[in-house]
Amino acid sequence: MSHKGRIHSLETFGTVDGPGIRFVLFLQGCLMKCQYCHNPDTWNFDGGKEMTVEEVLSEIEPYLNYYRSSGGGLTISGGEPTLQAAFVAEIFRAVKERWGLHTTLDSNGFNNPEKIQYLMDVTDLVLLDIKHIDNDKHKVLTGVSNEQTLRTAQWLSEHGKKMWIRHVFVPGIHEDENNLRDLGSFIGTLQGVEKFEILPYHQMGIYKWKELGREYPLEGVPSPTDEQVQRAYKLIEEGRSMQTI
C-alpha cells in the first residue's frame, strides 16, 4: 500500500540539513509548540498539501546528480516527520532502492523509537533537536517534557545510529552555565554523535505568528551575539569532556 502524506513545503537545494546538497521535504504537523518556532503554520495536521510517495519521488528525480555528486541526499523535516512515519519510511525505502540515496531524518525526538524502528532502519542519519536539557524549562519552551527526546537519543546511541545534535540558543533561555554543562555531559554519554551544532535563535518566524493571529512569545528577544554562542559551546564541551564513554 502506498501512503499519502501532508507536505508543508520542499526545498531542492538544501545545504544545512545534513551532509552535501539535499532535497528537503517539510511535513505538516507537530506536537511541540516551541516559542521560537519559525514554521508555526506546520503545527496543525490538516494544513499543507497532500502528496503521494510517487509525487514526491518525481520532485526529487530531476536533481539526483547534484545530490549524488555532492555526497548529499534526502532530508525529511517538518513539523515533526515521525508523526507521518509510515509515509517517510516508504519514501526513504524507495530512494534507497532506486537511487541509493543517503537519508536524513530531522526530528525533535518526541516519539517512541521502538514503535517506528521500521523507519529508523532506513534512516542513515538523525538530526536530533534537543530544545532544553532542563525539563521544567523545556516544558515552558515547548509545552511538553524532554524525557522522550532524551530517551530517543539514548535509543539511537544504543542501536548504532548516527546523529547530529542541534540546540537552538535563545538569549535568556539557554544561558545558565549548569544547564549548558548538563547538556554537554548528556551528549558525552551518547555514541554515534558525529556533530553538535548550536543554532543561534533568529526572529525570521515572527511574521508567520502575526499572520496566524498568534502573539509571538519571544517579542523583543534579540539573536545571541557571537560571544554568547562561543561561551555556550565552551561550557557544553566542558560538560562533554567530563564524560568518558
Side-chain angles (χ1 to χ4, degrees), residues 17 24-28 75-81 104-106 166:
D17 298 304
V24 188
L25 190 66
F26 296 93
L27 301 192
Q28 196 70 26
T75 296
I76 299 190
S77 181
E80 175 47 49
T104 295
L105 183 71
D106 180 8
R166 312 212 281 185

Side-chain angles (χ1 to χ4, degrees), residues 88-120:
V88 176
E90 194 181 334
I91 295 174
F92 277 0
R93 250 195 314 278
V95 300
K96 284 185 161 306
E97 283 165 11
R98 290 187 199 188
W99 305 316
L101 270 196
H102 180 275
T103 56
T104 295
L105 183 71
D106 180 8
S107 174
N108 61 29
F110 190 55
N111 46 52
N112 183 340
E114 275 93 20
K115 288 192 178 155
I116 52 170
Q117 178 140 16
Y118 63 91
L119 167 57
M120 296 305 184

Side-chain angles (χ1 to χ4, degrees), residues 8-149:
H8 172 263
S9 55
L10 51 87
E11 190 182 333
T12 46
F13 281 80
T15 54
V16 292
D17 298 304
I21 296 169
R22 308 189 73 82
F23 186 96
V24 188
L25 190 66
F26 296 93
L27 301 192
Q28 196 70 26
C30 192
L31 296 172
M32 285 193 186
K33 305 286 180 269
C34 296
Q35 292 183 336
Y36 52 66
C37 181
H38 56 263
N39 286 320
D41 48 332
T42 62
W43 290 355
N44 70 23
F45 288 85
D46 36 2
K49 166 180 158 197
E50 197 172 68
M51 286 178 87
T52 64
V53 171
E54 283 304 321
E55 284 171 333
V56 172
L57 296 176
S58 68
E59 294 280 351
I60 296 171
E61 195 162 21
Y63 308 101
L64 275 176
N65 285 343
Y66 295 103
Y67 306 140
R68 284 192 174 134
S69 61
S70 68
L74 167 65
T75 296
I76 299 190
S77 181
E80 175 47 49
T82 59
L83 297 171
Q84 300 187 54
F87 175 67
V88 176
E90 194 181 334
I91 295 174
F92 277 0
R93 250 195 314 278
V95 300
K96 284 185 161 306
E97 283 165 11
R98 290 187 199 188
W99 305 316
L101 270 196
H102 180 275
T103 56
T104 295
L105 183 71
D106 180 8
S107 174
N108 61 29
F110 190 55
N111 46 52
N112 183 340
E114 275 93 20
K115 288 192 178 155
I116 52 170
Q117 178 140 16
Y118 63 91
L119 167 57
M120 296 305 184
D121 287 345
V122 286
T123 299
D124 295 316
L125 175 66
V126 178
L127 306 182
L128 185 68
D129 291 313
I130 299 182
K131 313 283 188 182
H132 211 299
I133 197 67
D134 179 284
N135 197 22
D136 293 335
K137 292 178 184 175
H138 192 280
K139 284 178 185 162
V140 172
L141 186 62
T142 68
V144 299
S145 163
N146 69 7
E147 284 167 35
Q148 192 56 60
T149 297

Side-chain angles (χ1 to χ4, degrees), residues 168-230:
V168 173
F169 184 96
V170 184
I173 293 180
H174 295 99
E175 268 153 340
D176 184 288
E177 66 181 272
N178 293 326
N179 291 163
L180 292 165
R181 282 205 187 93
D182 288 349
L183 174 61
S185 61
F186 175 73
I187 294 169
T189 66
L190 303 173
Q191 301 183 52
V193 179
E194 294 189 326
K195 193 172 185 183
F196 169 74
E197 288 182 293
I198 289 176
L199 307 178
Y201 161 74
H202 59 70
Q203 298 173 327
M204 269 163 45
I206 294 183
Y207 75 96
K208 286 195 182 171
W209 289 71
K210 303 243 160 87
E211 275 174 8
L212 294 166
R214 295 176 190 265
E215 198 172 312
Y216 187 64
L218 300 180
E219 193 73 58
V221 175
S223 293
T225 63
D226 286 347
E227 288 76 18
Q228 285 173 309
V229 171
Q230 290 315 315

